[in-house]
Amino acid sequence: MMYRQGWLFWLLLLTGSVHAAELAVSACADRQALQEKLTALAVDEVQRLAGQSVTINLGVIGELPALELPEVVLLSKTLRSRMAATITGKSCDRDRQVVVTVWLKVQAMREAWIYGRNARQDSPMSEVAPHREVIDITALQIAGTELAESIEHKWLRQTVYAGRPVLQRQLRDDLWVRLDQQVAVMVRGPGLELRTQGKAMQSGIFGDPIQVLVSGAAASMPATIAGKGEVHVYMEM
């Protein structure tokens, strides 16, 4: 009876060892599945950096190692078309923990406003025929936060070109005063307050300093935009 129990113990132990070995082999046998898992982990890391409004397409420069229980850490802290990462895991070939550095090819696809026409500074957005399009922001080397979301009632701060994305820094609010516009001019100084008319020599919004040519004057003078179509000139006596 004791002999039979001992025999059963060793048989179970041997069977368990063989089963564990089979599991280890099977875990490494499907290398395609390991590669897909590793790629999915890398995509998750890049997605965490990019934000949920961006769709990530990712490729690997070279081959990914066959690793069990891999962990991925991005070395690049900003979103780029080429990003380095370290991958840690148990090697299926060497049966030990390894750390490998790989380079990832990244596409970060996001919908954005695109200029439909060239336009000069101080043009309204309605003149550039903007449309929505999905672009790769890594290829254009811009951050998602730079893209303009709201373009209604906006004007251009600078000259822009068709086919380029609309960036927040290129836009300004609707102008309060436009170049060559006839404006109301309030002239103030010690003991002086005079309302007259003039022509704006620059465009701007509330609080902007511009030059204005007061009616009857030979030269322009500095003024401050105080309202829609109105500027204030301060005279020092």
Side-chain angles (χ1 to χ4, degrees), residues 133-193:
E133 186 177 314
V134 176
I135 62 172
D136 179 6
I137 60 176
T138 56
L140 296 172
Q141 297 183 343
I142 56 177
T145 53
E146 294 182 79
L147 297 172
E149 295 296 340
S150 175
I151 62 173
E152 190 176 3
H153 305 307
K154 298 293 185 181
W155 290 67
L156 297 175
R157 291 182 182 272
Q158 63 187 71
T159 298
V160 297
Y161 301 96
R164 300 291 296 177
V166 181
L167 304 182
Q168 189 63 44
R169 65 173 178 267
Q170 298 168 336
L171 306 182
R172 66 188 306 167
D173 292 330
D174 191 1
L175 295 173
W176 289 41
V177 169
R178 296 184 180 86
L179 175 66
D180 294 332
Q181 179 184 349
Q182 292 296 313
V183 294
V185 181
M186 175 66 74
V187 181
R188 287 177 173 166
L192 172 67
E193 185 169 302

Side-chain angles (χ1 to χ4, degrees), residues 32-42 44 67-70 72:
Q32 180 63 31
L34 289 175
Q35 297 271 323
E36 291 175 356
K37 179 180 180 180
L38 198 48
T39 301
L41 287 173
D44 288 344
L67 301 177
E68 291 185 80
L69 304 175
V72 178

Side-chain angles (χ1 to χ4, degrees), residues 65-127:
L67 301 177
E68 291 185 80
L69 304 175
E71 295 182 1
V72 178
V73 177
L74 293 178
L75 299 179
S76 305
K77 299 307 180 184
T78 56
L79 196 61
R80 299 179 181 276
S81 59
R82 298 290 186 270
M83 300 180 69
T86 58
I87 302 174
T88 305
K90 184 179 179 181
S91 173
C92 290
D93 298 320
R94 303 178 184 178
D95 194 30
R96 61 183 177 85
Q97 287 290 113
V98 296
V99 179
V100 181
T101 300
V102 299
W103 282 92
L104 309 173
K105 295 184 293 185
V106 179
Q107 284 185 321
M109 311 304 294
R110 176 173 171 174
E111 191 176 50
W113 286 107
I114 303 296
Y115 293 113
R117 300 192 189 109
N118 298 343
R120 294 182 181 276
Q121 179 183 350
D122 293 335
S123 298
M125 279 298 293
S126 57
E127 291 185 4

